[in-house]
Amino acid sequence: MLKNRVIPSLLLKNGGLVKTTKFANPKYIGDPINAIRIFNTKEVDELMVLDIDASKLQKEPNYSLIEQFASECFMPLCYGGGIRTIDQASKIFKLGVEKVCLQTAVLDDLRFIEDLADRFGSQSVVVSVDIKKDWLGRPKLFRSATNENSNENWLGYIKQAVEAGAGEILLNAVDRDGTLQGPDLTLIQLASSGISAPLIALGGIGSLKDIKDAVNAGASAVAAGAFFVFHGPHRAVLITYPEYQELVKLFNNK
């Protein structure tokens, strides 16, 4: 068993699989169902699928598509995007999804985390926290649905989310998204040292060393998008099975 999870993160836009760079310029890279089938063969620990348009456009989750994902996915599945109510989350869980990932709905109402945790258990609730640096290089809580930085204390917000019942925190470094230039280790250290819940680090992973560095900085798990789907400029090629097995060896200390 892996000591730390490695989680492919797939982004959805209009039902297709895309990849962004610093949360901009989404590039279509394929069919999400095919990607899930490929990751099944690689025996990945967990899979995360995030609809980047649902909350921005105030749309409900695409339940028929989520049902297809759940039926194809052999590993635990986390879905995020457009979830605003208990009923919506309940529908998603009934389709076979193990975890829901929340951001927009809980930024202004942490009670939604409490309600979900009370109903489905904290282990089913992941809170996504996007961090983007301002022009002075200061980390700010970023609202992806409106593309705006918030002046709210981001560390304080993460602690409040955990206290409200979040089972995990997905920490996404916006400035590293899709760059393959390495994770923001300072952010990971600051966030992980202040909470008791597991921290999933996302953004900038470009090598096995980056994954190890993120874990050493305090991440309980590491998620990655471009690392798994881009090999070479503008080529969408999912990471090979031998390469994924290197991750397994890395975390088993073999």
Side-chain angles (χ1 to χ4, degrees), residues 62-67 70-71 90-97:
N62 186 332
Y63 301 111
S64 61
L65 190 58
I66 295 169
E67 184 175 18
S71 64
S90 181
K91 286 181 183 179
I92 291 169
F93 287 130
K94 288 177 181 177
L95 293 174
V97 173

Side-chain angles (χ1 to χ4, degrees), residues 80-244:
I83 303 168
R84 290 182 172 274
T85 69
I86 290 288
D87 286 344
Q88 290 171 342
S90 181
K91 286 181 183 179
I92 291 169
F93 287 130
K94 288 177 181 177
L95 293 174
V97 173
E98 283 80 9
K99 300 177 185 179
V100 292
C101 185
L102 310 169
Q103 185 182 104
T104 302
V106 301
L107 277 170
D108 296 316
D109 188 4
L110 291 171
R111 290 175 301 178
F112 188 40
I113 300 174
E114 296 178 8
D115 293 341
L116 284 172
D118 288 343
R119 178 85 174 268
F120 305 106
S122 291
Q123 78 285 346
S124 301
V125 182
V126 179
V127 171
S128 174
V129 180
D130 295 336
I131 303 297
K132 182 178 175 63
K133 293 182 178 178
D134 65 11
W135 66 282
L136 292 175
R138 298 173 299 188
K140 296 288 185 177
L141 187 64
F142 183 72
R143 295 173 178 259
S144 59
T146 57
N147 293 318
E148 296 174 326
N149 278 345
S150 168
N151 288 323
E152 183 175 356
N153 183 290
W154 69 275
L155 279 172
Y157 172 76
I158 290 176
K159 292 177 182 178
Q160 290 173 12
V162 172
E163 290 170 359
E168 293 180 285
I169 296 294
L170 174 66
L171 182 72
N172 196 351
V174 177
D175 300 301
R176 304 296 178 100
D177 171 58
T179 66
L180 299 168
Q181 294 177 354
D184 190 323
L185 300 179
T186 301
L187 282 182
I188 296 171
Q189 290 170 343
L190 287 171
S192 62
S193 64
I195 59 173
S196 56
L199 181 79
I200 306 170
L202 176 62
I205 299 299
S207 68
L208 299 181
K209 181 180 181 300
D210 287 341
I211 295 174
K212 187 173 183 179
D213 288 345
V215 170
N216 288 338
S220 300
V222 178
F227 175 64
F228 286 105
V229 299
F230 284 137
H231 281 242
H234 311 301
R235 289 195 299 133
V237 182
L238 290 167
I239 190 171
T240 65
Y241 183 77
E243 288 171 316
Y244 186 80

